[in-house]
Amino acid sequence: MDIVTLGLGAAFLGLLLWGLAVVVRHFRLNAVPIRFPRMAARLGLSLRDIDESDLATHLPTAARLCRKCRSQQECEAWLSGTAGGAEPPEFCVNRHYLRLAREAADLPQ
């Protein structure tokens, strides 16, 4: 084998591994249920309220933060409760964003 063949083989293997890592990451992230719409609904917000506000550009970031949240069990327990809240819970990584969204929607604080 010559050096060009070895180089092309190594480049192909590297590209294959990179593609596999992208696919695995995609499925790992999408396996986590996103709770953001449920959290917004419990706070009296709809995604339409947020989408029609100045905060709409930050909605994808809020959704990503929600997916990566480390308080998933606490969140699920809070979301399973019966009473809606006027304030997002302290453990929520999007609590400041949701407070701003409630203000933008002119909901009582």
Side-chain angles (χ1 to χ4, degrees):
M1 273 195 219
D2 62 355
I3 192 83
V4 173
T5 305
L6 286 174
L8 287 174
F12 176 75
L13 182 61
L15 194 59
L16 182 67
L17 290 173
W18 174 80
L20 182 61
V22 168
V23 169
V24 167
R25 183 173 184 263
H26 170 78
F27 283 109
R28 183 177 57 88
L29 285 177
N30 288 330
V32 176
I34 187 163
R35 293 169 182 85
F36 188 82
R38 291 171 54 206
M39 178 69 74
R42 282 286 310 275
L43 297 169
L45 287 165
S46 71
L47 292 182
R48 174 172 275 170
D49 293 332
I50 297 171
D51 196 41
E52 292 173 352
S53 74
D54 292 338
L55 299 168
T57 57
H58 301 290
L59 191 54
T61 302
R64 262 193 315 279
L65 285 172
C66 185
R67 275 189 201 269
K68 295 179 180 182
C69 180
R70 294 177 185 224
S71 301
Q72 294 176 20
Q73 289 178 335
E74 288 175 284
C75 185
E76 199 57 51
W78 190 85
L79 289 171
S80 297
T82 55
E87 283 291 316
E90 286 300 312
F91 61 78
C92 182
V93 294
N94 285 310
R95 68 183 169 273
H96 300 297
Y97 180 78
L98 289 165
R99 284 178 186 146
L100 290 172
R102 285 179 56 81
E103 289 173 14
D106 205 24
L107 293 173
Q109 298 300 315

